[in-house]
């Protein structure tokens, strides 16, 4: 069935940096395309970034381009999202998700990030 | 960017009745090489992550009750829930995987009348 567990969220001041992690288990992580999706408080879902299975191709939403970096470690079944120059509008629950049949079939429970001074 | 517009924003349906949610795309989501529409539907309950219901516009994900069905092609899609149950109260999102950025609809809140 597969499982994803995010970590690394918390309360961070604007302008600081943070790294979110997502640990995968129960499926073949190394052949899976992986995504980050976020949800601001009381708002809808926003796609953030994608990374191909070999890590060679990455795409980002315009709202995060240049500040967010998605990466993966296939030897440790881990997905990461490094965020620099944090902004108040980055406050959200961040989900990692696996892509399969052009959809997100496995989601983590999410990690909450609050950007506040 | 592909814009997905859901309608209605919210709806209230009686238990046992049918709920219909629409999703209109600003461009076709039919992927020629696979002849599949890259449109999926998700259910999200409060405090929980989204859950995949429908992929490729009409493919029901494993474990999803057959009360949930998807239809449509190109730019117009529908999620139908028949015999509405209390546990179906949630926000429903459509999503396109046709091209980056992989956008979502704004969500439709489903309640019991």
């Amino acid at each position: 069935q597969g499982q994803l567990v995010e970590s690394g969220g918390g309360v961070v001041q604007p302008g600081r940096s943070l790294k979110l992690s997502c640990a995968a288990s129960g499926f073949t992580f190394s052949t899976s395309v992986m995504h980050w999706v976020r949800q601001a408080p009381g708002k809808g879902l926003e796609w953030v970034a994608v990374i191909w299975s070999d890590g060679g191709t990455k795409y980002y939403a315009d709202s995060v381009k240049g500040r967010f970096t998605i990466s993966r470690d296939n030897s440790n079944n881990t997905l990461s999202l490094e965020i620099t120059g944090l902004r108040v509008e980055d406050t959200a629950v961040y989900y990692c998700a696996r892509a399969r049949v052009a959809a997100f079939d496995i989601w983590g429970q999410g990690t909450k990030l609050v950007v506040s001074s | 960017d592909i814009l997905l517009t859901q309608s209605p924003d919210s709806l209230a349906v009686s238990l046992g009745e049918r709920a219909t949610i629409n999703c209109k795309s600003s461009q076709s989501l039919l992927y020629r090489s696979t002849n599949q529409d890259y449109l999926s539907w998700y259910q999200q309950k409060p405090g929980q992550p989204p859950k995949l219901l429908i992929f490729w516009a009409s493919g029901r994900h494993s474990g999803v009750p057959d009360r949930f069905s998807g239809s449509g092609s190109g730019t117009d899609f529908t999620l139908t829930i028949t015999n509405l149950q209390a546990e179906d109260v949630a926000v429903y999102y459509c999503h396109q995987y046709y091209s980056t950025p992989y956008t979502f609809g704004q969500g439709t809140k489903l309640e019991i009348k």
Side-chain angles (χ1 to χ4, degrees):
Chain A
Q1 259 65 355
Q3 186 177 13
L4 297 169
V5 178
E6 303 92 339
S7 60
V11 181
V12 184
Q13 292 180 326
R16 304 294 291 264
S17 299
L18 188 75
K19 189 171 185 176
L20 305 180
S21 297
C22 169
S25 61
F27 65 95
T28 308
F29 179 78
S30 61
T31 61
S32 298
V33 176
M34 298 297 298
H35 296 253
W36 287 97
V37 176
R38 69 183 179 181
Q39 186 168 36
K43 302 297 184 182
L45 301 168
E46 180 188 15
W47 174 80
V48 171
V50 59
I51 185 167
W52 260 231
S53 56
D54 63 356
T57 300
K58 308 171 186 181
Y59 293 104
Y60 300 90
D62 285 345
S63 58
V64 307
K65 207 172 292 182
R67 298 189 301 118
F68 286 30
T69 302
I70 189 172
S71 62
R72 65 191 298 158
D73 180 348
N74 285 343
S75 61
N76 287 308
N77 293 342
T78 302
L79 176 73
S80 297
L81 185 69
E82 188 150 12
I83 309 173
T84 61
L86 276 160
R87 302 171 180 173
V88 171
E89 55 265 35
D90 294 325
T91 294
V93 174
Y94 285 76
Y95 298 102
C96 59
R98 182 183 80 164
R100 186 176 165 275
V101 291
F104 301 145
D105 68 332
I106 302 175
W107 295 71
Q109 286 297 312
T111 187
K112 187 175 181 180
L113 170 62
V114 176
V115 183
S116 173
S117 54
Chain B
D1 297 3
I2 296 176
L3 177 65
L4 297 180
T5 303
Q6 292 181 226
S7 61
D9 289 332
S10 64
L11 77 162
V13 177
S14 300
L15 289 173
E17 296 300 307
R18 176 193 303 249
T20 300
I21 300 171
N22 300 300
C23 177
K24 187 171 184 65
S25 174
S26 60
Q27 67 182 74
S28 176
L29 302 181
L30 179 62
Y31 212 78
R32 296 285 181 198
S33 61
T34 60
N35 198 36
Q36 298 287 352
D37 288 280
Y38 282 19
L39 187 283
S40 53
W41 289 95
Y42 301 84
Q43 176 194 65
Q44 187 178 32
K45 297 180 180 179
Q48 296 185 19
K51 171 187 168 184
L52 176 63
L53 298 174
I54 303 290
F55 62 92
W56 286 342
S58 59
R60 193 177 301 112
H61 185 53
S62 173
V64 174
D66 59 9
R67 301 184 290 103
F68 292 88
S69 63
S71 62
S73 184
T75 62
D76 293 279
F77 303 90
T78 300
L79 174 69
T80 301
I81 311 169
T82 57
N83 186 21
L84 191 75
Q85 303 295 303
E87 61 262 32
D88 299 334
V89 169
V91 178
Y92 292 84
Y93 296 93
C94 59
H95 167 248
Q96 66 83 15
Y97 204 85
Y98 186 89
S99 65
T100 59
Y102 299 124
T103 46
F104 290 88
Q106 80 276 18
T108 294
K109 187 174 184 179
L110 175 60
E111 299 173 314
I112 302 297
K113 186 187 291 183

